[in-house]
């Protein structure tokens, strides 16, 4: 039987009930290496174990994403991404407020013109 | 000497060169408990050790934030927050596009009226 990336990396036999094998296939060793570096394999296994089976794939993906963020940015990790997104939201809201003020101004001018015509 | 939350939790002596003590004070045991639950104390210490001293406080804050996210949402963790923020950005951009289209429409009407008056 092919060992999953987690068992291959740890040089142990990959049993049929290996909890990591569905989420860390042997053809993507980098994926396992990332989460192992940040959380350790045992911790990832424990976190997945505590979840219902149908949610484990999404949890493994999220842990992989967070681990990649932390490897790329060892100081801020995924919190750095969150800060950037907050900044983007602030910028979009500022632009939106400006455009809405312009619309309100045009509407007020339109109403004024209509009143004068009556 | 007062032990930091990390050494108190692990029931070990807190030495003056304890790397965790500046970031996990004894009066906030929940802060240490959170990062310990997700990353383990040893891993947090190693991650901080690899950073320049002036960046460790920010890194400890980010790790605490991420750990809290993962405890609150064991499936998506901080990636859940990132997804919500992406959604907010999409909503803001949609509203902005609508408001900008209205402004463009008013401007076009204004130009048309000016041309007819000439």
């Amino acid at each position: 039987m092919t060992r999953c990336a987690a068992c291959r990396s740890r040089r142990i036999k990959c049993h049929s009930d290996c909890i990591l094998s569905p989420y860390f296939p042997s053809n993507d060793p980098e994926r396992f290496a990332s989460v192992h570096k940040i959380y350790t394999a045992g911790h990832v296994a424990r976190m997945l174990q505590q979840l219902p089976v149908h949610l484990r794939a999404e949890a493994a993906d999220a842990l992989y994403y967070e681990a990649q963020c932390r490897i790329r940015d060892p100081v801020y990790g995924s919190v750095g991404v969150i800060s950037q997104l907050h900044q983007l939201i602030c910028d979009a809201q500022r632009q939106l407020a400006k455009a809405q003020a312009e619309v309100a101004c045009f509407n007020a001018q339109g109403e004024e013109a209509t009143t004068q015509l009556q």
Side-chain angles (χ1 to χ4, degrees), chain A residues 10-88:
Chain A
R10 292 181 296 166
R11 296 170 195 232
I12 57 173
K13 196 165 172 229
C14 190
H15 294 279
S16 59
D17 61 348
C18 168
I19 193 168
L20 296 173
S21 102
Y23 317 112
F24 299 99
S26 59
N27 61 1
D28 192 355
E30 186 271 336
R31 182 176 158 94
F32 172 71
S34 298
V35 297
H36 183 50
K37 187 179 163 79
I38 302 303
Y39 302 99
T40 75
H43 232 85
V44 173
R46 262 193 302 282
M47 287 197 267
L48 295 180
Q49 188 85 58
Q50 286 160 7
L51 296 173
V53 175
H54 70 282
L55 292 173
R56 288 179 191 169
E58 300 242 34
D61 284 347
L63 286 166
Y64 173 49
Y65 180 87
E66 279 178 46
Q68 279 184 308
C69 288
R70 175 73 39 198
I71 291 166
R72 255 198 315 264
D73 179 352
V75 179
Y76 297 105
S78 62
V79 176
V81 176
I82 290 173
S83 302
Q84 286 166 4
L85 293 178
H86 273 298
Q87 192 51 55
L88 279 178

